[in-house]
Amino acid sequence: MSLDTVDKLVVFLAKRDGIDKLVKTFQYVAKLACWRFEATQPEAADRFKKWEVASGLSRKAFRTGRSLTGFNALRRNPGATPVIRFLAVLANSGEMVYFFFDHFLWLSRIGTIDAKLAKKMSFISAFGESFGYTFFIIIDCIFIRQRLKSLKKLRSSDEPKDEIGAKISEIRGDIVMRLMGISANIADLLIALAEIHPNPFCNHTITLGISGLVSAWAGWYRNWPS
């Protein structure tokens, strides 16, 4: 039985990453709306700000335990070559730091632990995020290069056209997924840099809002059932 749109939506939202991307969309739409109405409709802007904050806190709560994902990835599938394994250790280590300290950032922002710790936890979390995502981007670029070489070989191969067509389609699908991953990681990297080293470009509401939506929608594409 083929899945219709409703079935796919149910499967998508049943995944933790799916729900995270949905709430992330709420968060950054609210951020842009708050910026849009701040000068003309302060009351509406305040409502959108509350929506943004609530969405951000909800996402942090929902990601509890996510720091174990990187550890499990290294334990189960660290990579096929020494170079990939080395890059995977750096990438997943950074991501583990990001999610681990993000738990404490959430606790400080909701008042469970000292609120003064929020700034320090946010900086460490953002630093781990930017460090890890930099190496995830490098890994995806390496794999895309390998896939492009494989495509070139297949096109000059003497294999039956049906078999070649299926392999080419599979490789192209993997390349698209990795490009979506790179887009999401670059967008999240910009958001992290805004916390690590505040500057007019990264910290502008438009930059943060668009980056957040690019990351969320790339995640939608990658997690949506095929």
Side-chain angles (χ1 to χ4, degrees), residues 115-131:
K116 293 179 181 178
L117 293 172
K119 187 172 182 60
K120 183 180 289 186
M121 295 299 104
S122 181
F123 179 86
I124 297 172
S125 178
F127 185 85
E129 180 181 16
S130 60
F131 182 87

Side-chain angles (χ1 to χ4, degrees), residues 150-167:
S150 297
L151 280 177
K152 188 176 180 180
K153 288 181 180 179
L154 279 172
R155 290 192 178 107
S156 60
S157 173
D158 295 330
E159 293 183 41
K161 288 186 178 180
D162 290 343
E163 292 183 14
I164 291 176
K167 290 179 180 178

Side-chain angles (χ1 to χ4, degrees), residues 177-188:
M177 285 297 184
R178 292 190 181 278
L179 286 174
M180 290 296 103
I182 290 172
S183 300
N185 288 335
I186 290 174
D188 285 330

Side-chain angles (χ1 to χ4, degrees), residues 128-191:
E129 180 181 16
S130 60
F131 182 87
Y133 286 173
T134 297
F135 290 103
F136 277 124
I137 291 168
I138 294 172
I139 290 171
D140 279 332
C141 287
I142 290 173
F143 277 113
I144 288 174
R145 184 181 179 186
Q146 291 175 351
R147 299 297 186 266
L148 290 173
K149 287 182 178 179
S150 297
L151 280 177
K152 188 176 180 180
K153 288 181 180 179
L154 279 172
R155 290 192 178 107
S156 60
S157 173
D158 295 330
E159 293 183 41
K161 288 186 178 180
D162 290 343
E163 292 183 14
I164 291 176
K167 290 179 180 178
I168 287 176
S169 179
E170 183 180 350
I171 292 172
R172 284 177 174 171
D174 184 65
I175 289 173
V176 171
M177 285 297 184
R178 292 190 181 278
L179 286 174
M180 290 296 103
I182 290 172
S183 300
N185 288 335
I186 290 174
D188 285 330
L189 185 59
L190 285 173
I191 296 172

